[in-house]
Amino acid sequence: MERIAVYPGSFDPLTYGHLNIIERGRLIFDKIIVAVAHNISKKTFFDFEERLGILREVLNGIDKVEVDGFEGLLVEYAKRKNATVILRGIRTVSDFEYEFQMALANKMLSPSMETMFMMTDAKYSYLSSSLIKEIVHFGGSVSSMVPPLVEKKLREKFEKMQKGGII
Ligand code: ADP
């Protein structure tokens, strides 16, 4: 049986921290489905289609990796995809509290679904999508934190927002 894991997230935007989890996950699972959450109640910088597009471009052609989007209950989505594992990354104790709660809730909803955590690689432990947006907003370089395409898209979007008087 194929061991399939779903790696869900907002990916707003995708960072080298996320990519590191995907890379390491590929060594363990037969397939990783990187699943972009379409959550209407959560305000994101990049909309759903933009986040999906970036992931598709960056991860295009990488063996054992599929990019997809999902809406609604994660465990139901994972079951539909024949996944048995939900993969998540952990950076800090505060990540743990949230992740622990989510994992228990998902276990209650679907007892056969396992959540597995991977510790961040130390060099990415400080990396978060919100930190990256803040740095770019104030004109700093994030080239060591995100793939070149992500940095380009961030700059373009901030410029557009500035021109449009949104920020
Ligand atoms: P969500 O809104 O679902 O938390 P994120 O895109 O912020 O989505 O994160 C997706 C997953 O990746 C989460 O499990 C998060 O802890 C993990 N993650 C985010 N940044 C890093 C990082 N630098 N190192 C390891 N894991 C990370």
PDB file of all heavy atoms in Angstrom, residues 7-12 15 17-18 21 42 88-91 95 98-99 120 124 127, ligand 1:
ATOM      1  N   TYR A   7       0.367  17.268   3.535  1.00  0.00           N
ATOM      2  CA  TYR A   7       1.033  18.356   4.265  1.00  0.00           C
ATOM      3  C   TYR A   7       0.207  19.621   4.018  1.00  0.00           C
ATOM      4  O   TYR A   7       0.339  20.270   2.988  1.00  0.00           O
ATOM      5  CB  TYR A   7       2.478  18.507   3.765  1.00  0.00           C
ATOM      6  CG  TYR A   7       3.252  19.652   4.408  1.00  0.00           C
ATOM      7  CD1 TYR A   7       3.169  19.917   5.770  1.00  0.00           C
ATOM      8  CD2 TYR A   7       4.080  20.474   3.639  1.00  0.00           C
ATOM      9  CE1 TYR A   7       3.873  20.952   6.346  1.00  0.00           C
ATOM     10  CE2 TYR A   7       4.801  21.513   4.219  1.00  0.00           C
ATOM     11  CZ  TYR A   7       4.690  21.746   5.567  1.00  0.00           C
ATOM     12  OH  TYR A   7       5.402  22.783   6.143  1.00  0.00           O
ATOM     13  N   PRO A   8      -0.678  19.949   4.967  1.00  0.00           N
ATOM     14  CA  PRO A   8      -1.575  21.086   4.753  1.00  0.00           C
ATOM     15  C   PRO A   8      -1.009  22.388   5.312  1.00  0.00           C
ATOM     16  O   PRO A   8      -0.206  22.369   6.254  1.00  0.00           O
ATOM     17  CB  PRO A   8      -2.805  20.672   5.574  1.00  0.00           C
ATOM     18  CG  PRO A   8      -2.225  19.918   6.731  1.00  0.00           C
ATOM     19  CD  PRO A   8      -0.949  19.280   6.266  1.00  0.00           C
ATOM     20  N   GLY A   9      -1.439  23.482   4.756  1.00  0.00           N
ATOM     21  CA  GLY A   9      -1.005  24.763   5.313  1.00  0.00           C
ATOM     22  C   GLY A   9      -1.574  25.929   4.540  1.00  0.00           C
ATOM     23  O   GLY A   9      -2.231  25.756   3.510  1.00  0.00           O
ATOM     24  N   SER A  10      -1.311  27.122   5.076  1.00  0.00           N
ATOM     25  CA  SER A  10      -1.739  28.333   4.374  1.00  0.00           C
ATOM     26  C   SER A  10      -0.723  28.675   3.279  1.00  0.00           C
ATOM     27  O   SER A  10      -1.072  29.219   2.238  1.00  0.00           O
ATOM     28  CB  SER A  10      -1.814  29.517   5.347  1.00  0.00           C
ATOM     29  OG  SER A  10      -2.557  29.186   6.478  1.00  0.00           O
ATOM     30  N   PHE A  11       0.531  28.436   3.557  1.00  0.00           N
ATOM     31  CA  PHE A  11       1.620  28.738   2.611  1.00  0.00           C
ATOM     32  C   PHE A  11       1.478  30.174   2.069  1.00  0.00           C
ATOM     33  O   PHE A  11       1.419  30.392   0.872  1.00  0.00           O
ATOM     34  CB  PHE A  11       1.666  27.704   1.477  1.00  0.00           C
ATOM     35  CG  PHE A  11       1.778  26.294   1.968  1.00  0.00           C
ATOM     36  CD1 PHE A  11       0.693  25.417   1.909  1.00  0.00           C
ATOM     37  CD2 PHE A  11       2.952  25.841   2.546  1.00  0.00           C
ATOM     38  CE1 PHE A  11       0.790  24.113   2.401  1.00  0.00           C
ATOM     39  CE2 PHE A  11       3.056  24.535   3.035  1.00  0.00           C
ATOM     40  CZ  PHE A  11       1.981  23.673   2.958  1.00  0.00           C
ATOM     41  N   ASP A  12       1.435  31.101   3.001  1.00  0.00           N
ATOM     42  CA  ASP A  12       1.160  32.516   2.643  1.00  0.00           C
ATOM     43  C   ASP A  12       2.330  33.423   3.032  1.00  0.00           C
ATOM     44  O   ASP A  12       2.152  34.254   3.920  1.00  0.00           O
ATOM     45  CB  ASP A  12      -0.134  32.955   3.328  1.00  0.00           C
ATOM     46  CG  ASP A  12      -0.569  34.341   2.880  1.00  0.00           C
ATOM     47  OD1 ASP A  12      -0.408  34.643   1.691  1.00  0.00           O
ATOM     48  OD2 ASP A  12      -1.059  35.120   3.711  1.00  0.00           O
ATOM     49  N   THR A  15       7.838  29.059   2.196  1.00  0.00           N
ATOM     50  CA  THR A  15       9.191  29.441   2.638  1.00  0.00           C
ATOM     51  C   THR A  15      10.139  28.243   2.533  1.00  0.00           C
ATOM     52  O   THR A  15       9.689  27.106   2.333  1.00  0.00           O
ATOM     53  CB  THR A  15       9.188  29.890   4.115  1.00  0.00           C
ATOM     54  OG1 THR A  15       9.019  28.725   4.946  1.00  0.00           O
ATOM     55  CG2 THR A  15       8.099  30.890   4.414  1.00  0.00           C
ATOM     56  N   GLY A  17      11.473  26.970   4.980  1.00  0.00           N
ATOM     57  CA  GLY A  17      11.106  26.115   6.114  1.00  0.00           C
ATOM     58  C   GLY A  17      10.091  25.060   5.679  1.00  0.00           C
ATOM     59  O   GLY A  17      10.223  23.876   5.988  1.00  0.00           O
ATOM     60  N   HIS A  18       9.078  25.486   4.906  1.00  0.00           N
ATOM     61  CA  HIS A  18       8.090  24.547   4.367  1.00  0.00           C
ATOM     62  C   HIS A  18       8.785  23.541   3.437  1.00  0.00           C
ATOM     63  O   HIS A  18       8.540  22.341   3.503  1.00  0.00           O
ATOM     64  CB  HIS A  18       7.030  25.283   3.536  1.00  0.00           C
ATOM     65  CG  HIS A  18       6.135  26.203   4.304  1.00  0.00           C
ATOM     66  ND1 HIS A  18       5.897  27.500   3.921  1.00  0.00           N
ATOM     67  CD2 HIS A  18       5.405  26.008   5.432  1.00  0.00           C
ATOM     68  CE1 HIS A  18       5.034  28.063   4.765  1.00  0.00           C
ATOM     69  NE2 HIS A  18       4.728  27.184   5.692  1.00  0.00           N
ATOM     70  N   ILE A  21      10.564  20.732   5.128  1.00  0.00           N
ATOM     71  CA  ILE A  21       9.669  19.671   5.625  1.00  0.00           C
ATOM     72  C   ILE A  21       9.262  18.752   4.459  1.00  0.00           C
ATOM     73  O   ILE A  21       9.250  17.525   4.586  1.00  0.00           O
ATOM     74  CB  ILE A  21       8.404  20.288   6.292  1.00  0.00           C
ATOM     75  CG1 ILE A  21       8.789  21.158   7.509  1.00  0.00           C
ATOM     76  CG2 ILE A  21       7.379  19.208   6.658  1.00  0.00           C
ATOM     77  CD1 ILE A  21       9.252  20.399   8.731  1.00  0.00           C
ATOM     78  N   LYS A  42     -10.067  33.129   6.966  1.00  0.00           N
ATOM     79  CA  LYS A  42      -8.715  33.581   7.301  1.00  0.00           C
ATOM     80  C   LYS A  42      -8.205  34.511   6.204  1.00  0.00           C
ATOM     81  O   LYS A  42      -8.126  34.127   5.034  1.00  0.00           O
ATOM     82  CB  LYS A  42      -7.788  32.358   7.426  1.00  0.00           C
ATOM     83  CG  LYS A  42      -6.436  32.687   8.009  1.00  0.00           C
ATOM     84  CD  LYS A  42      -5.696  31.423   8.423  1.00  0.00           C
ATOM     85  CE  LYS A  42      -4.277  31.745   8.851  1.00  0.00           C
ATOM     86  NZ  LYS A  42      -3.538  30.537   9.249  1.00  0.00           N
ATOM     87  N   ARG A  88       2.894  17.727   9.744  1.00  0.00           N
ATOM     88  CA  ARG A  88       2.990  19.129  10.156  1.00  0.00           C
ATOM     89  C   ARG A  88       4.409  19.416  10.650  1.00  0.00           C
ATOM     90  O   ARG A  88       5.108  18.512  11.106  1.00  0.00           O
ATOM     91  CB  ARG A  88       1.986  19.429  11.276  1.00  0.00           C
ATOM     92  CG  ARG A  88       0.538  19.295  10.880  1.00  0.00           C
ATOM     93  CD  ARG A  88       0.015  20.433  10.051  1.00  0.00           C
ATOM     94  NE  ARG A  88      -0.153  21.668  10.814  1.00  0.00           N
ATOM     95  CZ  ARG A  88      -0.546  22.815  10.269  1.00  0.00           C
ATOM     96  NH1 ARG A  88      -0.786  22.913   8.979  1.00  0.00           N
ATOM     97  NH2 ARG A  88      -0.687  23.883  11.012  1.00  0.00           N
ATOM     98  N   GLY A  89       4.799  20.670  10.594  1.00  0.00           N
ATOM     99  CA  GLY A  89       6.117  21.065  11.083  1.00  0.00           C
ATOM    100  C   GLY A  89       5.976  21.773  12.424  1.00  0.00           C
ATOM    101  O   GLY A  89       4.951  22.395  12.692  1.00  0.00           O
ATOM    102  N   ILE A  90       7.015  21.655  13.237  1.00  0.00           N
ATOM    103  CA  ILE A  90       6.986  22.326  14.547  1.00  0.00           C
ATOM    104  C   ILE A  90       8.248  23.160  14.706  1.00  0.00           C
ATOM    105  O   ILE A  90       9.355  22.675  14.479  1.00  0.00           O
ATOM    106  CB  ILE A  90       6.974  21.283  15.699  1.00  0.00           C
ATOM    107  CG1 ILE A  90       5.710  20.452  15.633  1.00  0.00           C
ATOM    108  CG2 ILE A  90       7.177  21.951  17.050  1.00  0.00           C
ATOM    109  CD1 ILE A  90       4.705  20.730  16.697  1.00  0.00           C
ATOM    110  N   ARG A  91       8.068  24.402  15.085  1.00  0.00           N
ATOM    111  CA  ARG A  91       9.238  25.273  15.333  1.00  0.00           C
ATOM    112  C   ARG A  91       9.421  25.547  16.820  1.00  0.00           C
ATOM    113  O   ARG A  91      10.495  25.416  17.357  1.00  0.00           O
ATOM    114  CB  ARG A  91       9.064  26.622  14.605  1.00  0.00           C
ATOM    115  CG  ARG A  91       9.210  26.554  13.127  1.00  0.00           C
ATOM    116  CD  ARG A  91       8.567  27.732  12.465  1.00  0.00           C
ATOM    117  NE  ARG A  91       7.116  27.724  12.690  1.00  0.00           N
ATOM    118  CZ  ARG A  91       6.270  28.555  12.148  1.00  0.00           C
ATOM    119  NH1 ARG A  91       6.706  29.529  11.382  1.00  0.00           N
ATOM    120  NH2 ARG A  91       4.983  28.472  12.385  1.00  0.00           N
ATOM    121  N   ASP A  95       4.037  26.715  18.711  1.00  0.00           N
ATOM    122  CA  ASP A  95       3.533  25.894  17.597  1.00  0.00           C
ATOM    123  C   ASP A  95       2.938  24.625  18.163  1.00  0.00           C
ATOM    124  O   ASP A  95       1.884  24.173  17.755  1.00  0.00           O
ATOM    125  CB  ASP A  95       4.686  25.441  16.668  1.00  0.00           C
ATOM    126  CG  ASP A  95       4.924  26.386  15.504  1.00  0.00           C
ATOM    127  OD1 ASP A  95       4.166  27.348  15.360  1.00  0.00           O
ATOM    128  OD2 ASP A  95       5.897  26.152  14.755  1.00  0.00           O
ATOM    129  N   TYR A  98      -0.731  24.730  19.630  1.00  0.00           N
ATOM    130  CA  TYR A  98      -1.753  24.781  18.584  1.00  0.00           C
ATOM    131  C   TYR A  98      -1.841  23.440  17.857  1.00  0.00           C
ATOM    132  O   TYR A  98      -2.927  22.900  17.639  1.00  0.00           O
ATOM    133  CB  TYR A  98      -1.408  25.924  17.621  1.00  0.00           C
ATOM    134  CG  TYR A  98      -2.269  25.986  16.404  1.00  0.00           C
ATOM    135  CD1 TYR A  98      -3.591  26.419  16.481  1.00  0.00           C
ATOM    136  CD2 TYR A  98      -1.765  25.613  15.154  1.00  0.00           C
ATOM    137  CE1 TYR A  98      -4.387  26.470  15.350  1.00  0.00           C
ATOM    138  CE2 TYR A  98      -2.555  25.652  14.015  1.00  0.00           C
ATOM    139  CZ  TYR A  98      -3.858  26.078  14.116  1.00  0.00           C
ATOM    140  OH  TYR A  98      -4.650  26.128  12.994  1.00  0.00           O
ATOM    141  N   GLU A  99      -0.678  22.911  17.493  1.00  0.00           N
ATOM    142  CA  GLU A  99      -0.638  21.668  16.725  1.00  0.00           C
ATOM    143  C   GLU A  99      -1.216  20.493  17.527  1.00  0.00           C
ATOM    144  O   GLU A  99      -1.882  19.621  16.979  1.00  0.00           O
ATOM    145  CB  GLU A  99       0.800  21.339  16.299  1.00  0.00           C
ATOM    146  CG  GLU A  99       1.420  22.365  15.349  1.00  0.00           C
ATOM    147  CD  GLU A  99       0.760  22.372  13.972  1.00  0.00           C
ATOM    148  OE1 GLU A  99       0.079  21.395  13.620  1.00  0.00           O
ATOM    149  OE2 GLU A  99       0.919  23.377  13.250  1.00  0.00           O
ATOM    150  N   THR A 120      11.466  21.449  12.940  1.00  0.00           N
ATOM    151  CA  THR A 120      12.112  22.322  11.962  1.00  0.00           C
ATOM    152  C   THR A 120      13.615  22.073  11.938  1.00  0.00           C
ATOM    153  O   THR A 120      14.197  21.676  12.946  1.00  0.00           O
ATOM    154  CB  THR A 120      11.849  23.803  12.317  1.00  0.00           C
ATOM    155  OG1 THR A 120      12.477  24.626  11.350  1.00  0.00           O
ATOM    156  CG2 THR A 120      12.367  24.159  13.696  1.00  0.00           C
ATOM    157  N   TYR A 124      16.041  27.007   9.991  1.00  0.00           N
ATOM    158  CA  TYR A 124      14.775  27.625   9.576  1.00  0.00           C
ATOM    159  C   TYR A 124      13.833  27.871  10.753  1.00  0.00           C
ATOM    160  O   TYR A 124      12.678  28.235  10.558  1.00  0.00           O
ATOM    161  CB  TYR A 124      14.062  26.741   8.550  1.00  0.00           C
ATOM    162  CG  TYR A 124      14.884  26.478   7.312  1.00  0.00           C
ATOM    163  CD1 TYR A 124      15.167  25.183   6.905  1.00  0.00           C
ATOM    164  CD2 TYR A 124      15.388  27.541   6.561  1.00  0.00           C
ATOM    165  CE1 TYR A 124      15.933  24.941   5.768  1.00  0.00           C
ATOM    166  CE2 TYR A 124      16.155  27.305   5.434  1.00  0.00           C
ATOM    167  CZ  TYR A 124      16.420  26.004   5.050  1.00  0.00           C
ATOM    168  OH  TYR A 124      17.170  25.772   3.935  1.00  0.00           O
ATOM    169  N   LEU A 127      11.960  31.086  10.926  1.00  0.00           N
ATOM    170  CA  LEU A 127      11.237  31.505   9.718  1.00  0.00           C
ATOM    171  C   LEU A 127       9.731  31.364   9.818  1.00  0.00           C
ATOM    172  O   LEU A 127       9.222  30.294  10.143  1.00  0.00           O
ATOM    173  CB  LEU A 127      11.660  30.611   8.556  1.00  0.00           C
ATOM    174  CG  LEU A 127      12.730  31.114   7.617  1.00  0.00           C
ATOM    175  CD1 LEU A 127      12.804  30.203   6.396  1.00  0.00           C
ATOM    176  CD2 LEU A 127      12.450  32.525   7.203  1.00  0.00           C
TER     177      LEU A 127
HETATM  178  P1  ADP B   1      -1.080  27.031   8.889  1.00  0.00           P
HETATM  179  O1  ADP B   1      -1.879  28.297   8.718  1.00  0.00           O
HETATM  180  O2  ADP B   1      -1.876  25.792   8.598  1.00  0.00           O
HETATM  181  O3  ADP B   1      -0.318  26.940  10.188  1.00  0.00           O
HETATM  182  P2  ADP B   1       1.486  27.533   7.594  1.00  0.00           P
HETATM  183  O4  ADP B   1       1.722  27.740   6.128  1.00  0.00           O
HETATM  184  O5  ADP B   1       1.793  28.657   8.508  1.00  0.00           O
HETATM  185  O6  ADP B   1      -0.030  27.058   7.689  1.00  0.00           O
HETATM  186  O7  ADP B   1       2.302  26.267   8.089  1.00  0.00           O
HETATM  187  C1  ADP B   1       2.104  24.974   7.545  1.00  0.00           C
HETATM  188  C2  ADP B   1       2.908  23.978   8.356  1.00  0.00           C
HETATM  189  O8  ADP B   1       4.302  24.209   8.175  1.00  0.00           O
HETATM  190  C3  ADP B   1       2.680  24.065   9.876  1.00  0.00           C
HETATM  191  O9  ADP B   1       2.734  22.756  10.426  1.00  0.00           O
HETATM  192  C4  ADP B   1       3.844  24.889  10.361  1.00  0.00           C
HETATM  193  O10 ADP B   1       4.167  24.617  11.707  1.00  0.00           O
HETATM  194  C5  ADP B   1       4.926  24.403   9.423  1.00  0.00           C
HETATM  195  N1  ADP B   1       6.008  25.383   9.271  1.00  0.00           N
HETATM  196  C6  ADP B   1       5.911  26.688   8.968  1.00  0.00           C
HETATM  197  N2  ADP B   1       7.123  27.278   8.944  1.00  0.00           N
HETATM  198  C7  ADP B   1       8.027  26.289   9.251  1.00  0.00           C
HETATM  199  C8  ADP B   1       9.453  26.258   9.435  1.00  0.00           C
HETATM  200  N3  ADP B   1      10.192  27.358   9.300  1.00  0.00           N
HETATM  201  N4  ADP B   1      10.010  25.065   9.775  1.00  0.00           N
HETATM  202  C9  ADP B   1       9.248  23.967   9.930  1.00  0.00           C
HETATM  203  N5  ADP B   1       7.908  23.935   9.803  1.00  0.00           N
HETATM  204  C10 ADP B   1       7.300  25.081   9.458  1.00  0.00           C
END
